[in-house]
Every structure is written in structure tokens, then in C-alpha cells.
Amino acid sequence: MTNTLSRRDFLKLGGAAGAALAVGQILPAPVAQAAKEAGHLNADGDGYISSMCEMCVWRCGLIAKIKDGRVVKLDGNPEHPHSRGNLCPRGQSGLMNTYDPDRVLTPLIRVGKRGEGLFRKASWDEALDLVASKMKEIKDKYGPEAMVFSSTHNLSQVQFENLLYAYGSPNYGTQRSLCFNAMITAFLLTYGVEEPARNYENAEYILMIGRNMMEAISTSETGELSRALDRGAKLVYLDPRYTKTASKATEWIPIRPGTDSAFLLAMINVITQNKLADCEFVEKYVQGCDELPTAMQRYTPAWAEQITGVPAATIERIAREYAAAKHNAMAHPGWRTSNFINSFQTERAIATLNALSGTVMSPGGCLSTEVAAEGAGLGAPPQPPYPRVSALRLDGAPWMYPLVPLKLGVFQHLRDSIVSGEPYQAHGWFISRQNPVASLPDRNKTLQAFEKMDFIVTVDIVMNDTAWFSDVILPEASYLERYDPLLPVGGKAFLRQPVIEPQGEAKSALWIYKQLGERLGLGDFFQYADEEDYLRQQLAPLGVTLEEVKAKGYAEMPEEEHSGSEFTFNTPSGKIEVYSETLKNAGFSPWPTWEEPPMPAEGEFYLLTGKVAQHTQFGTQNNQLLHKYSDEPRLWMNAKTAAARGLQDADWVLVTSPVGKAHVQLLATEAIRPDCVYMTPGYGHISKGLTTAFGVGASDSVLHVTYTDPISGGQALSQTFVTVQKA
Amino acid sequence: MTDTIQHKAYLFDATRCIDCRACMVACSVENNIPMDKTRIWVAGVGVTGEFPTLQRSTMVAHCMHCVHPDCMSACPVGAYSKAADGPVSYNPDLCIGCRYCMNACAFGVPHFDYDKGIVDGAFIDKCTFCPQRIYNGDEPACVATCPTDALEYGEREELLKKAHERIAAHPGKYIDHVYGEFEKGGTSYLVLSHVPFRDLGLPEMDEHPINETTEAIMEGTIPFAVAWAGVLTAVAGVSRVISKQKENASPEKPHTEAKE
């Protein structure tokens, strides 16, 4: 019989545009066919297929329950170290992203004005030809640097980067400078480690600086913290808000925003002045350990009390408790550390505290090899070298920001350069799985940058705010409908595989980038026939077949050699650089240091943002299940402050910042400092293509002023001050 | 037979719950609940106190799967049943929409679909204990996904043992009581808490099953009604005889009623 249509053939048919849908209906569905052959689905097409979540970047393992060709339930995969059988609310709701009635299921080409929301359906051929011709035109006319590429953390990002490097543009925007630049830059400079591991197994004393682990959930890590607390570990949590993490903490310290580093420097002062550190470890491994007490001398608890509002005695006690817990004390590095322009110093102080306690040496400490480079040990398709890039990067790295790691970049500065046209004008923007209109600070300025563009193309599964202003929208298959490159986690390479057929004409990112590459004459950079071929090339060094991996959900990776008890650090001195020559040579303080952040004027508030457990950034508000179970997004204000201003709970208020205004409903609560207000990020969508999210809440990015930390390039998201009036 | 069937239960630990609502989404998907309905909700008083001395009291609330279910007791058509191994289940085909169960449930669990009329299939809805999962070797959907093990599932006796061990292991952390162990004869949703149970929205109740009292009363209603009918008939008869005698004795009508 002729029912053995392979995935490869299906993709070719898919390329034949309009015919694809009709053909797909006659022939057996390839995903289901493959799943039946692998023994996942029974003859009726019902059963279970393992894959990986994409509702945030933690990437839990999942098991999808399939019935009649539809996903009916997702459960956590017990074999995956990130899920351990559990999924968070976002993971549980994932099938609603796939079945969102607002999915874009064919390529769309804009016919109205930008932002008018008028599009016409197009075939893949027409849409891809148009995108490729525009990209060629821009390259020929202005050079490849006039094309900006941006994408946010995803498994196909490696091929996105392949497209942009092959095209030859230096202009790459990621979410990183809006998120963790401060943390990563500080740990790279101090330890030579990008993302320090966290060890909860033996933790007795955990210090968290605004790491709202119980709401900004990373399923396994949230579980580990919870179990540590259950076991009796102490959690000291600094946050101006009484978050759900604060409610679980042993001690909640509602510190003044922007002053975390003063608190931490005073802790270092107490530990070093009183010689409470793990001396043996520090002597051996820490660069600058002899001078550290002198360098920290002025940061007394009494000094810190004036700045942070936390009593000196409390700081002293916490420092002593932290030191007493020795190797079992952990100062959590945090995640989204883009708070103030001094957040880099906060991270340096955290890195120093971990060095003083010797936590880095304990199992799972920040030297852990667990966080391997993505794709290490796996094969890759062959490709020619990338063209040489000579143009300056529009994001200012490294010519304005010498210490910002190039892979992190400064996205908000890239946007500003598009608006200013300096040092040169960008003309095109290729955006994949990212929503800069909603995520970058100062939305009006981002829309100005869009106006400067001759051409904007967006790859996404729904009409997000960025797609709404784009010229072409390419519909991506959802994470339950497509393959992505393998992800190594904890000695296994996990597979994201389609558990259902792509809906409409949606296609995987791997397919889209390859199609564009070929049309741009860059086919040599995309030497894979289709997604399965790409995965086979990745698996080649492991000697495992794709069929085995599909059946099991992962491939075993060869065990890495672990070093003995001696450590060398990937820093210039080979030691932990509490004192950094690199920082000194770049004109910055070589020691962790205090930098006074600006303060709100009389009548102004700190505008805080921070996650809720039911949403991921700007991409999930249209998920009906998450909409159903998340709290209405309101502006938190201290109840007494509100009362003093004649404001009542549920009043509509006008929030004004130096760059924007937002109408939002008030939540009068005791759970926030009187000098702060808080907004849940990701609301206030512009796109009418998001029928669930449209009209709900207000956008925090409308209000955020763009402030960049000169060392790490991180955006200071809590440094915007607002006034609040009754609307 | 029934002696060998083990009683399943849930254990909820309020100190572990982070109010992430994964359980609610999981339940909604597993049981295909309409977007405007839910079988699990957040109960409790929430954040209390004054800045910066605050406390959060919330719990995941769904059917308590009582050992002596009042909903079942109140249902006039036998739509409810209690399985020997735990689940209190509900048959929508038998429901007549009287909502007696809603009034009977001390925990406010059964919900009525007010958007629909009886003809459209209006029905009561509540947690089913996920029979499609537990009888296939899985945990209920809400339990299976909980990232912090705030919800656990197992044999009621074992969970009770675990709960008491947890209280003993952490002096001062928990209220020294497992809610549902004895309340109104016991429930199959057991609760551990660091705050008074009323702050989680749980009513204070004695150990006596409510339905034993109500059913005892209800069982007496028919004999009582028959007897009372007899008494009333007798009184009426006697009264008629007396009034006839009075009519004969005094033809003048009494003209004033006592009116102050």
C-alpha cells in the first residue's frame, strides 16, 4: 500500500503550498502514523507521546495524552529532571496555546497600514519569496547590517542564529539584557561561569534577593526549594513586595528597592571583619582575599541601615547566621536581575558571598558541570564559515559596553539606535518567537523604531503585538506540533517531537529558516533535508537512532569527566575574582561596590514588575486556561497609602511615568511597601488578534523608561518612577 | 468484601501550597471543564495583617469526599453515591436540579449551572476524584502535577499517619490537628495547616456525622407524620364536639377579641 508517506515527503508537499492541506486530509496523518509505528498510539490513534514543554524556558519533560488525533492532557514526565512528573500551571495549560482559536494558520501579508490589522492570506511560496526578496533588497542596498534579527530563548535558536550569521548581520536582539545580563556578566567576571548552579539538597541557609521562586516557577527548582524549607532550611527573602515566596520565607525583609547591594556589602563587611569566612577555601581560591576586609570596611551594618531601612542588628545577625551555615549557605544568584543600574553590583556581592561561604565547592555548587553548552557532544550539519562582519553592532556591544558578553547584547540600545539612525540606519527586522513591542521598555519608542523599518517579518503562532505591526507573518507550528533540536539536560539529550499534526499550514522554525536560507542563496548553511534529518545528524555521534529516541523521549549522553577536589576557574587569574582586574581596566570598580541609585521624588512611586505563576512574560495572556485561573491584573498600592490619597480598592487610576500613561484598576493591599506600586507584566496588549487578552489590564512597558547599566548592559526595570491619580 | 477495599484520600498541606493553581488547570483539562466553570478554587482569607507583619492563608478547595456525605443524604433522587474506596460521585442523569445538595454541603462544594435550565441539561458539578485516573493507576490530576507536593494521594490511614508524623517532626510549624480526620465523621480530603482552619475557609465541626442526626430525624418523619395526623384528627373531632355543645349552650356570639 502507499500509506508509508515519510515526514520528508510530507514537508515537500507542505512546500507545495495550497495543495498541502487537501493532500494531508487524504493521506494518513504522518505524526500519528509515526507514533503508531513507534508503538505510542494504538490502532485508534489513542495513546501517550513524550516531548518537551515550551511554556517557559525551563523546558520540562512532558507526556501528551492523545485521543482522536487531539492532545487531551499533558502530564509531567517523571524521567525528566526539570519536571520530575510535575508541570506548573503554564505547562498544564500548554494545549490551549496549540488550540488557541486565535492561532495564525496560514502565512499573512499586510494589506492595510501598519497597526491597522488588515492582512490577506498567502501561500508559503509567496510569503517566503516576498521575505527573501525584501531581505536581499536591504542587503544589496544598505549592507547586511541594515537587517536586524531578534529572537528569544528557544530550542531552534541555533538555526535562527545560523540564518543571521550566514546573512551577515551583527545586529541580534535577544531578551537577555531585559532579563539576566547583570547576573551572567557578574558571574562570568567573578567565576568564569555563566549560569551558576543552585544546590538545595544540603542547603540550610538560603538568601534570595527578589528571586520570587514560588511565582516565577521553574518546576524542579521550585520543588527543591519547597522541600528544603520542609526539611527546615531557613529562607531569608528580600523583596519590597509580600510575594508568595515571602509568605513561605523564614524571614521576609521588605528592603527599599535598589539597595540590595548595600545590604549584601554590609553582610560581606560583617563576615570579613569578624573573620567568619571559610578561610582555607578563600585563601586558596579567592583573588583579593587579603584586601577584601579593607575594601569592605566602610560598608558597616550601620551604614547599610541608613540606605536600606533594614536595622543594622538584623543585617549583622543574618550575616552571622549565613556564615555559620558555612558550605550549606547559599546566596541565590537570581534570574531576572534587570532591576537597577546597580544590579550588576548586587550580583557581584552575591557572587562574593558564595565565595566566602565556600558554597561553590559543595556538590551542585556553581562549578557544577550540569549546565553544559547547548548541543555539546551532539553532531551538527556541516556548513561553510560565516561571512566576516565589519559593521558596528547597533546595540553598542562592545564599542559602548566593553564588558557586555556579545551573546547577551543590549537589546534596548539596539532599539534606540534604530530610532536615532546612529551609527547607521537599520531598514529591516526579522523577528522570531519574540514580542519586542511588548517586552522592550518604552513601547512608544519601539513603535517609533518600527516606523523606521522598510520591512518587518514575524514568525509566531498567534498575532501578538509585534506581528500586528508586521508586514509578513509566518505561522509557526506550536511546540506540540513540531520538532526542535535536541536539548541535553543531566546526561540525557531530550527530544521535542510533534505529538499531533501541525494545524492549518503551520511549519516548524527549522523548516522556515531553511526555506528562507535557500531563497537567500545560503542553502549551504542549512544542510538538512528536513527536521528528522537534522536530528539524525545531531544523534550521529551518540550511535542512537531517531526511532529509539522518539520512542524513549531522550538519548543517553556519554558521561563527562568530573574534576577532583582541585578547582581552576575560567578567569584571568584562575581564581574567583572578587577583585577583578578586568573591571578595573575597563574603568569600573574592581571590587563589589555601592552605587547610589536614583530615588523617587515626593509623590512618586517605584514602579515594580514581577511574575505571576500563571503567565510567562508577554506570550501567554491569550491562553484561555491561564486567563481563567490568573488574578485580574491590577496596580498594587499599599492600602494605607491609597487611603491617604483618597483612593479605594478597585478605583480606576491613571499611572504616569516620564514616557507614558496607563489606566489600570487599583488593588489596595498591605502586601507592598508604601513607596512602591506593582504591575503584573505582559498585559495591555494592542493586537486585536488576541481576542482573550485584548483589553485586559495595562502594559508596564508603556511606562518603563530605558535605563542601561553601563557594565552589564542590563535594562533597569525598577528604576522608573510614576505618579498615580484617580482616573 | 468491603473490609478489604482501601479508602483513598487526599492530603493537603497549606504550608507547602504556593497557590500556583497548576492543580486547577490540570483539573480543568483532565475533566474538560467549561472555561467559565471550575471544580477547584482558592479558599481562605488570603493575606492578613498590617505591613510588614503579614500572613497568607489560602488552600486548594474541592470536594472533601466525606465518609458520611451530606450531599448524598440530601439528594431526593439518589444521584450521589459514596464508593467504598473513597470517591463521592454524582450522576448527572438522575439529577433533577433541586440543589438540596448545595444547601446540605457544609463546605459549599456542589455547584449548579445557573446558565442552563433543567431542559438544557442543567446540572450540579463537583470534583469526581478522577476515577478515570485512579482506577488506571494514576494519581488524581490535581495531585499528579503539584510542583511542591502540597497535594498528595494515597490510603487514608497512611496519609493520616504521614500527617501526624509531619506535625510531630516540626514542632510549632503546624496546628496540631489534621482537619478531616474526625470532622463530622471524617473526610477523604485531609488538611494540614499553619493557620487556624477557619482562615482556610474550613468550618469548625464536631466529630458526629451531621447526616446521622439528620437521617435519624428524617427516618422518624413518616411515623411522626402519621402519629401527628392522628393527634390532629382527634383534636379536631373533640373540638367540633365541644364547639357544638357551646353553640347549643350560648346563642350569643362573642364580639370582642383581645386587642391591645
Side-chain angles (χ1 to χ4, degrees):
Chain A
M1 288 303 289
T2 55
N3 65 347
T4 52
L5 186 75
S6 75
R7 181 78 182 153
R8 185 178 300 197
D9 291 333
F10 174 70
L11 287 165
K12 281 180 189 154
L13 287 170
L21 200 59
V23 172
Q25 282 162 350
I26 299 160
L27 295 168
V31 172
Q33 184 64 33
K36 277 182 196 172
E37 283 164 15
H40 293 314
L41 300 184
N42 64 19
D44 297 334
D46 299 346
Y48 297 85
I49 304 176
S50 70
S51 189
M52 242 191 296
C53 188
E54 198 193 42
M55 294 299 290
C56 79
V57 298
W58 197 244
R59 297 165 185 148
C60 290
L62 64 81
I63 294 172
K65 184 179 178 185
I66 311 297
K67 199 163 170 45
D68 304 327
R70 282 178 73 85
V71 192
V72 294
K73 181 74 173 57
L74 301 171
D75 281 305
N77 183 350
E79 288 195 82
H80 196 289
H82 285 182
S83 46
R84 298 180 188 154
N86 308 134
L87 290 176
C88 77
R90 297 161 300 170
Q92 279 293 344
S93 77
L95 53 98
M96 205 55 226
N97 264 32
T98 289
Y99 295 126
D100 191 330
D102 293 339
R103 278 284 295 275
V104 174
L105 296 174
T106 63
L108 296 177
I109 294 174
R110 179 172 63 82
V111 292
K113 285 184 202 146
R114 277 211 190 119
E116 214 173 37
L118 296 175
F119 295 86
R120 68 173 172 84
K121 288 182 182 178
S123 70
W124 270 105
D125 273 336
E126 186 192 2
L128 290 167
D129 287 346
L130 176 63
V131 173
S133 72
K134 289 284 181 188
M135 285 172 74
K136 265 188 197 160
E137 197 181 304
I138 288 167
K139 193 176 187 174
D140 293 345
K141 229 168 156 178
Y142 310 105
E145 64 273 17
M147 190 78 204
V148 173
F149 290 76
S150 64
S151 182
T152 285
H153 223 41
N154 61 81
L155 292 183
S156 285
Q157 202 160 1
V158 59
Q159 287 305 312
F160 180 83
E161 289 170 359
N162 197 22
L163 181 67
L164 92 94
Y165 296 140
Y167 181 87
S169 175
N171 292 314
Y172 181 23
T174 71
Q175 87 293 358
R176 293 161 187 155
S177 65
L178 312 176
C179 187
F180 49 50
N181 267 35
M183 185 263 286
I184 291 191
T185 310
F187 276 82
L188 273 174
L189 284 166
T190 315
Y191 292 94
V193 169
E194 210 171 85
E195 187 198 331
R198 285 78 71 192
N199 170 27
Y200 293 88
E201 209 166 306
N202 303 310
E204 284 170 15
Y205 201 90
I206 304 165
L207 188 61
M208 283 188 167
I209 319 298
R211 179 67 177 95
N212 187 7
M213 188 62 82
M214 300 311 195
E215 293 185 86
I217 294 178
S218 301
T219 312
S220 54
E221 192 176 350
T222 300
E224 282 168 18
L225 173 64
S226 178
R227 282 185 282 278
L229 295 176
D230 243 16
R231 210 186 56 229
K234 188 167 181 183
L235 171 63
V236 174
Y237 178 69
L238 275 63
D239 199 311
R241 266 195 316 140
Y242 186 71
T243 61
K244 288 170 191 175
T245 307
S247 75
K248 299 295 169 192
T250 326
E251 193 166 349
W252 168 52
I253 297 175
I255 192 166
R256 185 161 75 83
T259 68
D260 301 336
S261 55
F263 181 97
L264 300 166
L265 290 167
M267 278 183 70
I268 299 171
N269 169 289
V270 173
I271 292 170
T272 53
Q273 301 301 318
N274 297 289
K275 299 189 167 55
L276 305 173
D278 179 347
C279 296
E280 200 186 320
F281 177 80
V282 174
E283 292 284 326
K284 198 168 176 183
Y285 293 111
V286 177
Q287 174 82 354
C289 72
D290 296 335
E291 303 85 2
L292 186 61
T294 318
M296 296 293 125
Q297 208 162 12
R298 62 194 166 113
Y299 303 129
T300 61
W303 163 84
E305 176 177 333
Q306 300 299 313
I307 293 167
T308 60
V310 183
T314 305
I315 301 173
E316 170 128 17
R317 173 177 53 78
I318 288 170
R320 286 178 178 278
E321 287 172 357
Y322 179 88
K326 296 197 165 74
H327 288 207
N328 296 327
M330 165 171 62
H332 194 284
W335 192 252
R336 184 187 70 74
T337 45
S338 49
N339 294 313
F340 284 84
I341 55 166
N342 70 9
S343 290
F344 170 78
Q345 297 300 342
T346 308
E347 290 300 307
R348 282 272 289 161
I350 290 173
T352 303
L353 277 171
N354 282 310
L356 296 179
S357 65
T359 317
V360 284
M361 281 183 80
S362 58
C366 72
L367 290 176
S368 164
T369 49
E370 192 197 326
V371 188
E374 266 176 41
L378 295 171
Q383 61 180 62
Y386 294 123
R388 199 183 168 84
V389 175
S390 52
L392 287 176
R393 283 168 54 132
L394 289 175
D395 72 354
W399 57 281
M400 278 186 74
Y401 304 102
L403 294 183
V404 174
L406 293 179
K407 65 182 279 193
L408 301 188
V410 188
F411 195 15
Q412 67 276 18
H413 192 96
L414 169 56
R415 187 270 323 268
D416 290 357
S417 298
I418 295 169
V419 175
S420 70
E422 298 297 334
Y424 53 85
Q425 185 61 56
H427 292 271
W429 201 337
F430 186 104
I431 300 153
S432 183
R433 224 174 299 152
Q434 191 187 58
N435 193 356
V437 170
S439 65
L440 281 166
D442 196 350
R443 184 167 82 185
N444 290 332
K445 204 167 185 185
T446 309
L447 292 176
Q448 281 172 36
F450 269 39
E451 282 169 21
K452 294 266 186 165
M453 290 289 147
D454 302 344
F455 185 66
I456 304 167
V457 55
T458 294
V459 180
D460 212 297
I461 68 165
V462 288
M463 180 82 76
N464 66 21
D465 286 356
T466 297
W468 185 253
F469 288 94
S470 298
D471 303 315
V472 176
I473 304 166
L474 302 177
E476 196 187 2
S478 81
Y479 74 94
L480 297 171
E481 300 166 342
R482 65 161 195 263
Y483 283 108
D484 272 323
L486 293 162
L487 177 69
V489 183
K492 290 172 182 165
F494 283 90
L495 174 69
R496 177 175 290 140
Q497 60 179 326
V499 302
I500 51 164
E501 316 300 327
Q503 293 175 80
E505 293 172 43
K507 298 287 181 196
S508 75
L510 284 176
W511 184 88
I512 295 170
Y513 302 153
K514 178 181 162 66
Q515 290 292 320
L516 276 173
E518 285 174 353
R519 281 170 169 79
L520 288 163
L522 305 170
D524 285 354
F525 292 90
F526 297 90
Q527 294 186 38
Y528 52 92
D530 55 26
E531 297 93 330
E532 293 198 343
D533 182 41
Y534 185 92
L535 290 162
R536 288 201 173 91
Q537 294 189 53
Q538 279 202 297
L539 288 169
L542 301 182
V544 195
T545 67
L546 179 59
E547 284 61 37
E548 287 171 65
V549 177
K550 287 179 69 169
K552 215 164 145 189
Y554 61 86
E556 301 279 355
M557 304 274 287
E559 274 197 33
E560 286 177 52
E561 292 278 317
H562 289 274
S563 56
S565 55
E566 293 296 310
F567 295 106
T568 48
F569 293 84
N570 190 19
T571 56
S573 64
K575 288 186 167 190
I576 299 170
E577 298 203 337
V578 166
Y579 174 89
S580 165
E581 282 285 338
T582 313
L583 275 165
K584 192 183 175 196
N585 293 340
F588 302 113
S589 165
W591 296 103
T593 192
W594 169 245
E595 290 167 6
E596 179 83 41
M599 278 173 68
E602 182 70 30
E604 289 180 344
F605 296 88
Y606 290 97
L607 175 66
L608 309 178
T609 82
K611 286 187 74 171
V612 292
Q614 298 81 27
H615 286 296
T616 298
Q617 328 301 14
F618 314 88
T620 56
Q621 289 73 24
N622 209 58
N623 180 308
Q624 294 185 10
L625 280 163
L626 295 177
H627 179 77
K628 173 180 178 179
Y629 284 116
S630 49
D631 292 329
E632 202 183 351
R634 293 208 198 161
L635 183 84
W636 290 29
M637 182 186 275
N638 182 281
K640 290 189 186 66
T641 312
R645 291 168 164 257
L647 296 171
Q648 287 183 333
D649 190 53
D651 273 355
W652 282 91
V653 292
L654 177 67
V655 188
T656 308
S657 86
V659 298
K661 292 176 194 298
H663 277 94
V664 62
Q665 228 177 340
L666 193 76
L667 179 80
T669 171
E670 290 290 334
I672 189 166
R673 279 175 64 97
D675 56 358
C676 299
V677 291
Y678 158 84
M679 276 174 89
T680 307
Y683 284 96
H685 289 278
I686 308 172
S687 169
K688 290 177 186 164
L690 302 173
T691 56
T692 299
F694 182 76
V696 180
S699 161
D700 57 337
S701 63
V702 165
L703 300 167
H704 280 140
V705 183
T706 311
Y707 296 115
T708 300
D709 161 20
I711 304 179
S712 75
Q715 154 70 19
L717 281 171
S718 300
Q719 208 167 292
T720 293
F721 309 132
V722 296
T723 58
V724 180
Q725 296 156 298
K726 194 160 180 167
Chain B
M1 272 296 282
T2 52
D3 290 347
T4 62
I5 296 172
Q6 312 233 276
H7 206 151
K8 303 290 185 194
Y10 302 83
L11 173 62
F12 172 77
D13 187 334
T15 72
R16 292 180 175 185
C17 177
I18 57 172
D19 188 26
C20 76
R21 305 169 195 179
C23 51
M24 302 181 192
V25 181
C27 170
S28 252
V29 177
E30 174 69 38
N31 297 296
N32 206 14
I33 307 297
M35 283 298 170
D36 57 345
K37 302 281 187 293
T38 190
R39 284 180 181 173
I40 312 185
W41 62 98
V42 186
V45 294
V47 174
T48 51
E50 277 186 54
F51 179 91
T53 309
L54 301 167
Q55 188 163 48
R56 169 178 278 273
S57 313
T58 56
M59 78 170 253
V60 167
H62 64 60
C63 178
M64 304 290 281
H65 295 279
C66 303
V67 176
H68 303 274
D70 298 311
C71 51
M72 187 167 95
S73 177
C75 182
V77 293
Y80 281 92
S81 58
K82 169 80 180 172
D85 59 346
V88 173
S89 49
Y90 159 82
N91 180 354
D93 295 339
L94 295 178
C95 181
I96 55 168
C98 73
R99 289 166 277 151
Y100 283 9
C101 54
M102 291 172 67
N103 290 316
C105 177
F107 305 103
V109 168
H111 280 62
F112 186 69
D113 194 342
Y114 284 100
D115 299 340
K116 291 179 182 169
I118 297 291
V119 182
D120 307 320
F123 63 94
I124 289 285
D125 195 41
K126 72 163 203 71
C127 161
T128 60
F129 219 125
C130 280
Q132 73 282 15
R133 290 178 68 101
I134 63 169
Y135 297 132
N136 283 304
D138 290 331
E139 294 175 323
C142 56
V143 176
T145 207
C146 180
T148 58
D149 299 327
L151 277 168
E152 291 170 278
Y153 163 77
E155 296 300 328
R156 190 169 181 273
E157 283 310 308
E158 282 169 29
L159 290 176
L160 276 170
K161 196 166 154 254
K162 200 187 244 188
H164 284 293
E165 280 169 5
R166 208 176 287 169
I167 293 170
H170 299 91
K173 183 175 179 182
Y174 294 98
I175 304 279
D176 186 11
H177 180 72
V178 183
Y179 190 96
E181 181 172 13
F182 302 114
E183 272 75 9
K184 67 177 208 73
T187 65
S188 296
Y189 192 76
L190 306 165
V191 181
L192 278 175
S193 178
H194 55 300
V195 294
F197 292 101
R198 64 177 172 277
D199 289 353
L200 298 181
L202 291 167
E204 274 168 38
M205 281 193 269
D206 67 23
E207 297 179 11
H208 190 71
I210 296 170
N211 68 343
E212 274 184 14
T213 312
T214 55
E215 283 174 17
I217 293 169
M218 289 307 285
E219 277 164 17
T221 49
I222 290 171
F224 178 80
V226 171
W228 188 238
V231 170
L232 290 179
T233 311
V235 170
V238 170
S239 147
R240 187 177 291 177
V241 170
I242 292 172
S243 55
K244 266 200 176 151
Q245 284 173 350
K246 275 189 180 168
E247 247 171 54
N248 295 341
S250 58
E252 289 159 41
K253 268 189 180 172
H255 54 273
T256 47
E257 298 279 324
K259 224 175 188 180
E260 298 290 304

